[in-house]
Amino acid sequence: MTTALPLWFEVGSMVLLTVILIVDLLLIIKRPHVPSMREASLWVGFYVLLALLFAGAIYLLGDAQHATEFVAGWLTEYSLSIDNLFVFVLILGAFKVPSAYQQRALMIGIVLALIFRGIFILVGAAIIERFIAVFFIFGAWLIWTAWQQVKPGGHEDQGDSWLIRQVKKVMPFSDEYDGGKLRTTVDGKRMFTPFLLVLISLGATDLLFALDSIPAIFGITQSPFIVFTANVFALMGLRQLYFLLGGLLEKLPYLKYGIAAILAFIGVKLILHALHENELPFINGGNHVPVPEISTGTSLLFILAAMVISTVASVLKARQVAKATGETLHLGAAEPHQDGQHGTGTGTGAAGGAGDTPHRSE
């Protein structure tokens, strides 16, 4: 499918998005800090507004179909990114990352997510073009992932992951952070800091989430441009959203059900599409199967409904629990460690398990 968009718009969009991400990264490197609630809110609002303006530009320069595909894809990827963010919260909390350097870790994690997703988009587009039956695999994978979301124990921290254990066997690590550095000197010996383990865990998490997000959005559109830009917009502002909602995420119990519903819905849609375009000889003699196809508009409505219902239900439940326990429900990221420049690092022995994405119970 073509994007029906002018080449200058596609190229210009990619350049602009790259510049925004680079500027965001440079700001973190130059001035690492914990953003205020107002700052985080303004940035999140800015990125959401930017995504909506981008959808409007697609509508004006292209057509309503592609604009709808972008919005549906962006919302799907945004919901998955929030789930990704929940795991980031577990990782940063378990490794006791100093608050001032959580932004740097998050931004690197987001950049890694973009790289992995970009690679998977190119590979996925090439496979789909040559082998439409891959939608059967994508659909089955998403339905299985939806089940992993809702089964008991889906978000548990299970200790060091296999990857972290192997890294710690072959590389020396200090017990304390040295600002945002990856290496430090302890008693005259050069060692890596727990910050490297944090980045490895974030990267492993990003890789596994990319396996979910790319099949999910290809179930909405087959335009590589829309797939990639929807992913970029979903990840932009995720760092600020962490500081806005980080402490509240773990108190929203029904979000995972909304995400699971979206994944299962798109999984079914992919399988129906694969049947409709069937070319496999052992299914209906290689002929197309006359099954209903789910429109992009219907997908958008379902995604919106799942996100709104699960979020509202979660907030109501969280308020009920907070009232019953006498706790105060508030926004803002949890701050498990307040040492400023240096953290006492149980990080090297703590939560590498987060790197295996706890939401899959692997």
Side-chain angles (χ1 to χ4, degrees):
M1 177 188 294
T2 61
T3 61
L5 293 167
L7 181 61
W8 66 264
F9 177 76
E10 295 190 0
V11 174
S13 298
M14 302 304 292
V15 171
L16 179 61
L17 292 176
T18 301
V19 170
I20 292 175
L21 288 172
I22 291 175
V23 170
D24 204 7
L25 181 60
L26 291 176
L27 288 175
I28 297 171
I29 296 174
K30 184 176 180 180
R31 193 171 66 94
H33 70 292
V34 177
S36 65
M37 294 298 298
R38 181 175 182 275
E39 179 184 348
S41 300
L42 288 174
W43 275 107
V44 170
F46 168 74
Y47 285 127
V48 170
L49 177 61
L50 200 62
L52 295 176
L53 291 175
F54 187 77
I58 293 178
Y59 175 77
L60 293 175
L61 297 173
D63 52 42
Q65 172 69 19
H66 290 87
T68 304
E69 289 178 358
F70 171 79
V71 174
W74 169 59
L75 289 175
T76 298
E77 295 302 308
Y78 205 81
S79 65
L80 291 173
S81 294
I82 291 175
D83 196 35
N84 202 158
L85 187 63
F86 178 85
V87 181
F88 282 179
V89 170
L90 294 181
I91 293 173
L92 297 181
F95 279 104
K96 296 181 173 62
V97 179
S99 299
Y101 295 97
Q102 289 178 6
Q103 285 210 70
R104 181 174 298 182
L106 285 167
M107 195 63 195
I108 294 174
I110 291 170
V111 171
L112 290 174
L114 281 173
I115 292 172
F116 288 137
R117 295 185 188 195
I119 293 172
F120 283 9
I121 288 168
L122 293 175
V123 173
I127 293 175
I128 290 169
E129 187 176 350
R130 294 168 176 79
F131 186 56
I132 194 67
V134 74
F135 280 146
F136 284 116
I137 301 174
F138 284 176
W141 172 260
L142 292 179
I143 293 172
W144 181 84
T145 304
W147 161 243
Q148 294 297 304
Q149 280 277 338
V150 299
K151 77 175 187 179
H155 274 289
E156 292 180 355
D157 183 1
Q158 301 173 358
D160 278 3
S161 70
W162 177 88
L163 177 60
I164 294 299
R165 290 196 300 271
Q166 301 311 306
V167 171
K168 288 162 64 177
K169 285 181 181 178
V170 299
M171 299 169 65
F173 284 91
S174 66
D175 291 328
E176 297 184 356
Y177 289 90
D178 185 2
K181 297 178 181 179
L182 297 180
R183 300 198 72 181
T184 187
T185 301
V186 179
D187 296 330
K189 183 180 179 181
R190 293 291 288 170
M191 306 179 75
F192 292 96
T193 70
F195 201 74
L196 179 60
L197 292 177
V198 174
L199 299 185
I200 292 173
S201 290
L202 292 176
T205 298
D206 289 332
L207 181 61
L208 291 179
F209 269 97
L211 291 173
D212 295 340
S213 66
I214 300 309
I217 194 170
F218 270 121
I220 296 171
T221 178
Q222 279 85 67
S223 165
F225 174 73
I226 293 180
V227 170
F228 186 75
T229 52
N231 270 276
V232 173
F233 276 105
L235 292 171
M236 290 168 66
L238 194 61
R239 173 174 59 84
Q240 291 85 357
L241 191 63
Y242 166 82
F243 289 99
L244 187 64
L245 298 179
L248 187 62
L249 281 174
E250 59 189 15
K251 299 178 182 179
L252 302 181
Y254 301 127
L255 280 178
K256 64 180 182 180
Y257 295 105
I259 294 170
I262 293 171
L263 290 174
F265 174 83
I266 298 176
V268 171
K269 179 181 178 180
L270 283 171
I271 292 175
L272 289 176
H273 180 71
L275 288 170
H276 189 270
E277 302 293 329
N278 177 57
E279 296 176 351
L280 297 177
F282 53 85
I283 297 180
N284 197 34
N287 298 315
H288 301 338
V289 180
V291 295
E293 286 211 84
I294 301 172
S295 67
T296 303
T298 301
S299 299
L300 177 58
L301 291 176
F302 183 91
I303 293 164
L304 280 170
M307 292 181 68
V308 170
I309 292 173
S310 61
T311 301
V312 172
S314 293
V315 171
L316 292 177
K317 177 67 175 179
R319 286 180 176 176
Q320 182 182 15
V321 172
K323 184 177 180 180
T325 59
E327 296 180 359
T328 301
L329 188 65
H330 59 84
L331 296 175
E335 296 184 6
H337 199 71
Q338 296 290 344
D339 284 350
Q341 295 294 325
H342 295 274
T344 54
T346 55
T348 55
D356 271 349
T357 56
H359 84 297
R360 289 179 178 77
S361 299
E362 290 183 347

